[in-house]
Amino acid sequence: MNFYTRKWVKPEDLNPNGTLFGGTLLRWIDEEAVIYAIVQLGNPKVVTKFISEINFVSSAKQGDILELGIEAIHFGTTSLTMRCEVRNKISRKTILSIEKLVFVNLGEDGNPIPHGKDSITYAYTGIEKTGRDN
Ligand SMILES: CC(C)(COP(=O)(O)OP(=O)(O)OC[C@H]1O[C@@H](n2cnc3c(N)ncnc32)[C@H](O)[C@@H]1OP(=O)(O)O)[C@@H](O)C(=O)NCCC(=O)NCCS
């Protein structure tokens, strides 16, 4: 799994309980996942189709530094399925996990079209590899 993005929990990210608001975390994850899908599928027209159970494992507080991890687990015909984990960068404690996020590759007309991909692309090297990274 690649942990590309780090977030610093600020006052505007908190709920009335004084911990990280779940909606804020979900917005960060949806954005992280769509960027990952766009890079993997090579198409900016990608939409969120399905998000499975979301497990808020532990809370985060103001000042915490979080890292967002995404990993492609299945390349379908028009879809890409990923899993997600968010953890505290310092303690490595898991904050959240999602087993399945499905994004769909769209054509110009807004309908699903095959993306033609079957393995993870490492965008910065241009090297195509099969399987998992760290
Ligand atoms: C995305 C959308 C165009 C797909 O249309 P659709 O008629 O469901 O398309 P299909 O039935 O051809 O399914 C497309 C892919 O999604 C997968 N899929 C559909 N429903 C799914 C579900 N409930 N769970 C997991 N995958 C699903 C299909 O298996 C298919 O993948 P594959 O081609 O790799 O096998 C349509 O559902 C839509 O516009 N949804 C709203 C998207 C949106 O606004 N998202 C939030 C903002 S980004």
Side-chain angles (χ1 to χ4, degrees), residues 30 46-50 76-79 100 102 104 106 110-112:
D30 195 34
V46 174
V47 287
T48 316
K49 175 63 190 173
F50 177 83
T77 303
T78 66
S79 68
K100 272 177 81 174
V102 180
V104 175
L106 303 181
N111 290 317

Side-chain angles (χ1 to χ4, degrees), residues 65-90:
I65 297 168
L66 307 186
E67 50 187 6
L68 278 53
I70 300 280
E71 180 181 34
I73 54 171
H74 177 69
F75 288 79
T77 303
T78 66
S79 68
L80 174 65
T81 304
M82 294 160 277
R83 70 182 185 94
C84 170
E85 186 184 331
V86 176
R87 66 188 185 192
N88 183 302
K89 174 146 185 67
I90 309 300

Side-chain angles (χ1 to χ4, degrees), residues 21-110:
F21 179 52
T24 300
L25 185 52
L26 293 178
R27 182 166 53 80
W28 292 345
I29 290 164
D30 195 34
E31 184 170 323
E32 185 71 6
V34 77
I35 291 169
Y36 185 100
I38 287 168
V39 170
Q40 292 301 319
L41 304 181
N43 177 12
K45 282 180 69 84
V46 174
V47 287
T48 316
K49 175 63 190 173
F50 177 83
I51 300 179
S52 72
E53 270 176 11
I54 300 162
N55 186 354
F56 289 95
V57 179
S58 60
S59 60
K61 61 182 189 314
Q62 185 176 327
D64 283 354
I65 297 168
L66 307 186
E67 50 187 6
L68 278 53
I70 300 280
E71 180 181 34
I73 54 171
H74 177 69
F75 288 79
T77 303
T78 66
S79 68
L80 174 65
T81 304
M82 294 160 277
R83 70 182 185 94
C84 170
E85 186 184 331
V86 176
R87 66 188 185 192
N88 183 302
K89 174 146 185 67
I90 309 300
S91 69
R92 296 290 170 107
K93 195 171 172 184
T94 300
I95 306 295
L96 165 150
S97 65
I98 304 175
E99 285 310 309
K100 272 177 81 174
L101 297 106
V102 180
F103 283 71
V104 175
N105 189 63
L106 303 181
E108 282 305 319
D109 62 358

